[in-house]
Amino acid sequence: MTSDQRGATSSRAPGLRGRAAGHPAAALLALALGGFTIGTTEFATMGILTNIADGLDVSIADAGHAITAYALGVVIGAPLITVLAARAARKTLAVWLMSAYAVGNLLSAWAPSLEVLLVGRLLTGLPHGVFFGVGAVLGTAVVGAARRGHAVAMMMAGLTVANIIGVPLSSWAGQELGWRATFLIVGGLGLVTVVFLAALLPATPAPLGASARKEFTALGNGPLWVSFVATAVGFGGLFVVYSYVKPTLMFVTGLSEGSVPLVLALFGVGMTAGVLVGGRLVDLDVMRAVYIGYVSTALSLVVLALVGESPVPAVLALVALGVTSQVLGIALQARLMDLSPAAPSLGAALCHSSLNAANANGAFVGGLMLAGGLGYLTLAWAGALMTLLGLGVVLLFGRQSTARVDASVLDDPAPDGARPSERPGSPASVATGATDDGRTSPPAGDPSSAGDQARRSTE
């Protein structure tokens, strides 16, 4: 193909957003199903922790290392795979990631010892953050940059709906059929998700100008790592408590094992509400949503520490924690994407890497406290302290101004060898500024932006 033909093809071909626009609901449904599968897998371990401990003849604290191993897999896999797969077609990458996720769960189901289970959980965690990073970019491309919060929230809704349906059912299966049945079920669910992703996602190339070098260069972004640390510490407060929620409910609150799946379902309802609220707050003001998320999550943990011995107040406190933690999670993901505007896949993937660093930190700290003889309710106090420490990092070091994700990153591929700035009417040079409080000028994809006006003039 000649350069003229390539240029003509590029001018006629719809962009990523154009290709997905025909069936945006179907594309978001496929991504939400992926979120549901991952959410069920990620949080199912908490609901069967005592069953794993009994089945492998280890302590609850040692069984909790399975949670830490999965989280470490996410921490390692998110930046590594994102950089290595920067030029891969987005749909193809999503399908392969979910396939690997299913295989990891099946390995976990087979594990004859705690050591093999830890390897299985580590391998299962590797694709997690990358899938959500790719999905966040795809979702934004489907609905447009101006509705980015909605797109991320809809994908994350699959993860949180998993806590209403998937996690309680997998917890019940673990209790009735054995903990291995839980991992077999989620492994099968992963294979079903692969089919849906292949059928419903639009054919999508790599983002415009994507390269391993560009994604790797973004790793040198200082403010990005400040936000990463704040998330890894502050969001860890949730997991100090939630990693050990089943024994807490049974041994402190006094609930029966059979009632735990119902409580987990109620927690999932709270998380789903938090995702929807968080998406709206992010679209209004990212940094305000971050502050609201940190403060409200710390307060929820304090309340849980105070009322944890009383069944009804304890359950209500857990539901509130589900809401506030997801407001915080959505806000933190948007913040990390803002801090990596030229490499949004990496920003979104690093968000899940940092959230799972928080998962690892929380589970590890909680395990140390329990092994040291401290009670389960002390975990809630420690969680509140970690959350406030994260807020402190943001207030001291993490209030840098940002640029919203450049819409050109989500647009159609440039002619072979062309850089974004070489495209006729490219909005790549139209940077959208933001103030310290997270407010931004119109995104590049907005009809009122100079970039779009320039593009229309060339067409």
Side-chain angles (χ1 to χ4, degrees), residues 34-35 51 62 68 108 136 152 173 191 200 206 240 263 269-270 274 280 327 338 414 421 440 457:
N51 306 96
D62 286 340
T68 302
S108 300
V152 173
L191 295 177
L200 298 179
V240 174
V263 176
V269 171
R280 289 184 176 274
V327 170
D338 281 351
S421 60
T440 63
S457 69

Side-chain angles (χ1 to χ4, degrees), residues 25-36:
L28 290 179
L29 173 63
L31 294 172
L33 182 59
F36 177 84

Side-chain angles (χ1 to χ4, degrees), residues 222-224 226-227 229-230 335 390-400:
L224 185 70
V226 170
S227 187
V229 171
R335 174 64 174 168
L391 174 60
V393 172
V394 172
L395 292 174
L396 291 175
F397 307 108
R399 301 178 64 187
Q400 295 88 349

Side-chain angles (χ1 to χ4, degrees), residues 63-64 92 127 141 186 194 221 261 320 326 340 346:
T92 301
V186 294
V194 168
N221 184 339
Q326 292 311 294
S340 184
L346 179 64

Side-chain angles (χ1 to χ4, degrees), residues 431-446:
T432 57
T435 63
D436 287 348
D437 63 3
R439 293 186 177 89
T440 63
S441 58
D446 188 274

Side-chain angles (χ1 to χ4, degrees), residues 42-119:
E42 180 182 14
F43 296 112
T45 307
M46 287 78 161
I48 59 173
L49 195 61
T50 58
N51 306 96
I52 293 175
D54 292 340
L56 296 178
D57 195 24
V58 297
S59 68
I60 291 177
D62 286 340
H65 294 326
I67 300 171
T68 302
Y70 178 93
L72 287 177
V74 183
V75 173
I76 296 168
L80 179 63
I81 299 176
T82 297
V83 169
L84 294 178
R87 296 184 64 84
R90 301 294 92 177
K91 175 179 178 177
T92 301
L93 181 57
V95 169
W96 278 107
L97 289 171
M98 187 54 62
S99 299
Y101 202 78
V103 171
N105 279 305
L106 296 177
L107 174 62
S108 300
W110 169 80
S113 65
L114 179 62
E115 291 76 17
V116 176
L117 177 63
L118 297 183
V119 172

